Amino acid sequence: HSVGIVGAPFNRGQPRDGVESGPDLIRAAGLLQKLTQQGCAVKDYGNVTCDDVPADEPFGCVKNPRTVGRANEQLSHTVATVKREGKTCVVLGGDHSLAIGSIHGHASVQGQLGVVWVDAHADINTPLTTPTGNIHGQPMSYLIHELHSKVPVVPNFSWIKPCVSARDIVYIGLRDVDLGEHYILKHLGIKMFSITEVDRLGIAKVMEETCDHIFSQVQKPVHLSYDIDALDPTVCPATGTPVVGGLTYREGVYITEHICQTGLLSAVDMVEVNPKCGRTDHEVKSTVNAAVDLILGCFGRVREG
Ligand SMILES: CN[C@](CCCC[B-](O)(O)O)(CCN1CCCCC1)C(=O)O
Ligand SMILES: [Mn+2]
Ligand SMILES: [Mn+2]
């Protein structure tokens, strides 16, 4: 595997300090060395700059729009560069608003994508449905063709062209979905496996059905957007919006092993690690180590050795 690492220390998509330390914490835990040890060719593209845009007043209830929009425009260019260099792109977050730039940049080079969104949340609120105004709960709404007419043009977001079709999306791990999001998911008929389905079917069947759905029409590059809060807070407590009853460590890793086996993984985001949300050093380490292990699973690490 040829891998490009991009740090996206974004924190303005949500209110909590600390998530901007995610990229360097994951690097410090030895991600690049471990990827190299398992046979990957790894290039580090450094961190995308994401300085605050001055006087970044809310747009309606959308918070920090200009800062988030500008940072994602930079990220989109960097991800596109990594893809043009023929590498699988790994974006380290930072909050989940980074998926706007990551998926946009990915699609700008690879065209039609399959998006697997692993998360306790759907992150599909529009600027008009969001209950908090936090953009990390909205990224998908800016990217989906079928929602284009429903999303107002937010300052510094006009560069974004919708690039994902509703039928090319699969959610895994949902357990905290807002009313407006649920309506959108149902109205667009987006495929989703909530934690209830994970329990009913088992993770192996979920992954089999995920791949059947995404590859039903045609094989396409896969964008895996992995929110660490998909895993249970007992495994990954150091995150900003924890929700009880999450995926086990084993289910989380199985997802990445299965996606790796398709041979179609083209980009992966690992987001929402926030060391300031861990009450002890052990809680931070547990969260960071899980994030590293999930990424290693994407690139061929198998637990049988
Ligand atoms: C569920 N949607 C939330 C959370 C988004 C989490 C973003 B992610 O990147 O971590 O997935 C709202 C959460 N609720 C909090 C409790 C009160 C009602 C809203 C939002 O703010 O849109
Ligand atoms: Mn989440
Ligand atoms: Mn998320």
Side-chain angles (χ1 to χ4, degrees):
H1 299 277
S2 179
V3 182
I5 308 285
V6 179
F10 290 19
N11 65 357
R12 295 295 182 229
Q14 51 81 61
R16 296 168 199 84
D17 282 345
V19 70
E20 68 282 356
S21 310
D24 291 344
L25 267 177
I26 291 170
R27 287 193 179 94
L31 174 68
L32 283 81
Q33 292 81 346
K34 292 176 179 199
L35 283 169
T36 305
Q37 279 159 17
Q38 64 182 53
C40 298
V42 185
K43 176 177 178 183
D44 192 343
Y45 289 75
N47 288 354
V48 170
T49 49
C50 36
D51 302 328
D52 282 342
V53 171
D56 193 4
E57 297 309 311
F59 175 79
C61 32
V62 177
K63 294 167 184 161
N64 312 316
R66 296 164 193 80
T67 302
V68 172
R70 173 72 43 74
N72 271 297
E73 189 174 14
Q74 300 308 311
L75 178 60
S76 180
H77 290 310
T78 305
V79 169
T81 299
V82 176
K83 291 314 300 171
R84 275 195 293 274
E85 294 184 2
K87 302 175 191 309
T88 302
C89 188
V90 177
V91 178
L92 305 176
D95 71 60
H96 220 160
S97 66
L98 68 74
I100 297 168
S102 180
I103 291 172
H104 190 275
H106 186 189
S108 73
V109 174
Q110 302 287 132
Q112 184 185 10
L113 303 173
V115 176
V116 179
W117 195 279
V118 185
D119 199 328
H121 312 96
D123 298 1
I124 200 168
N125 276 300
T126 73
L128 304 176
T129 68
T130 173
T132 61
N134 299 328
I135 299 178
H136 75 158
Q138 305 169 39
M140 284 295 259
S141 78
Y142 300 102
L143 298 165
I144 296 172
H145 293 292
E146 292 87 344
L147 287 178
H148 188 55
S149 62
K150 303 281 184 262
V151 175
V153 179
V154 174
N156 280 4
F157 278 55
S158 54
W159 58 274
I160 303 168
K161 292 185 296 302
C163 50
V164 180
S165 299
R167 70 171 184 282
D168 290 333
I169 300 167
V170 177
Y171 281 98
I172 301 172
L174 296 184
R175 56 189 189 275
D176 176 14
V177 179
D178 297 322
L179 211 59
E181 293 183 302
H182 190 257
Y183 175 81
I184 290 168
L185 291 169
K186 288 297 172 197
H187 182 66
L188 296 184
I190 292 175
K191 187 75 176 168
M192 68 174 108
F193 295 96
S194 73
I195 291 292
T196 304
E197 277 76 56
V198 172
D199 286 336
R200 178 182 302 128
L201 301 174
I203 196 65
K205 189 78 172 74
V206 165
M207 292 316 294
E208 196 185 307
E209 292 193 16
T210 294
C211 291
D212 289 347
H213 182 84
I214 289 214
F215 305 131
S216 55
Q217 280 88 5
V218 66
Q219 300 246 338
K220 55 195 79 110
V222 171
H223 187 110
L224 173 62
S225 203
Y226 214 119
D227 187 328
I228 202 68
D229 71 27
L231 269 63
D232 193 88
T234 56
V235 181
C236 294
T239 191
T241 49
V243 184
V244 295
L247 297 171
T248 65
Y249 172 90
R250 290 161 43 188
E251 288 168 334
V253 171
Y254 186 90
I255 291 170
T256 64
E257 288 175 345
H258 193 99
I259 299 269
C260 176
Q261 283 169 349
T262 66
L264 292 167
L265 180 65
S266 181
V268 51
D269 310 319
M270 182 52 67
V271 302
E272 299 282 353
V273 170
N274 186 335
K276 290 189 178 160
C277 295
R279 290 163 304 175
T280 65
D281 193 43
H282 170 74
E283 287 197 350
V284 176
K285 278 190 168 51
S286 175
T287 307
V288 172
N289 290 342
V292 170
D293 290 351
L294 290 168
I295 297 168
L296 296 179
C298 289
F299 296 102
R301 190 186 78 141
V302 288
R303 283 169 279 177
E304 66 185 41

